[in-house]
Amino acid sequence: FSHLIQHEVQKSHEVNVLNLFGYTGLASLAAAAAGARVTHVDASKKSVNWARENQALSNLTEKPIRWIVDDALKFVQREARREVKYDGIILDPPKFGRGPKGEVWEVYKSLPNLFEACRACLSEHPLFVVTTLYAVRASAIHVAQGMEDMMNGFRGKIEMGELVAREQSAGRLLSQAVYARWER
């Protein structure tokens, strides 16, 4: 997604990116380094603090990143009510988790609601949406179909697949995650 951000920034367009379930900040830092204004959301204060440390270690402290400790779904729903818009959204939800106030996240039940809430936060001409799911039984096709529903009416393309690691001893591919990516 960095190339899409850089292209828009070169045309003097501001790019706003939302990173939900941002963990230790790698995607937030990549988006900020490419020129985006980033909102990084994670329910874990420890993870957000770690991400901020990674920002400093990466010499990116001058980059505009909002660090938010909150439940991802509740945050996006509030942003939609405030009519805040994003040009790119990165979703990297866990299979199961709890928000800072005990909110329950179960990917199979919660992801459709999150997709719906995220759609309400997309700008008129979004650049990308990326979803990665680790340690789940869902296929990349299921994730892509959910994203296709979310992006209905926007012109772009969806790619999907698996993230794999190669086993050192036997050389086999081991599935780690599935992903879907929509791009304008």
Side-chain angles (χ1 to χ4, degrees), residues 20-21 23 90-96 105-112 114-115 130-144 146-147 161-164 175-181:
L20 297 173
F21 309 96
Y23 304 120
I90 303 161
L91 303 163
D92 193 9
K95 184 176 179 179
F96 179 84
W105 170 268
E106 293 181 65
V107 74
Y108 298 112
K109 293 179 183 177
S110 305
L111 192 59
L114 184 61
F115 277 160
V130 178
T131 304
T132 307
L133 299 177
Y134 289 84
V136 295
R137 291 188 198 116
S139 70
I141 292 169
H142 287 109
V143 179
M147 187 173 289
E162 286 187 66
L163 301 176
V164 299
S175 180
Q176 303 291 308
V178 295
Y179 74 90
R181 178 178 65 211

Side-chain angles (χ1 to χ4, degrees), residues 82-152:
R82 294 179 192 137
E83 298 184 10
V84 176
K85 301 295 180 186
Y86 294 96
D87 305 298
I89 299 178
I90 303 161
L91 303 163
D92 193 9
K95 184 176 179 179
F96 179 84
R98 293 204 181 271
K101 295 180 182 163
E103 303 90 343
V104 175
W105 170 268
E106 293 181 65
V107 74
Y108 298 112
K109 293 179 183 177
S110 305
L111 192 59
N113 293 333
L114 184 61
F115 277 160
E116 184 180 321
C118 285
R119 180 179 172 88
C121 288
L122 287 170
S123 66
E124 286 185 36
H125 304 287
L127 299 173
F128 65 88
V129 178
V130 178
T131 304
T132 307
L133 299 177
Y134 289 84
V136 295
R137 291 188 198 116
S139 70
I141 292 169
H142 287 109
V143 179
Q145 287 175 338
M147 187 173 289
E148 188 173 53
D149 290 344
M150 174 185 171
M151 301 310 293
N152 186 26

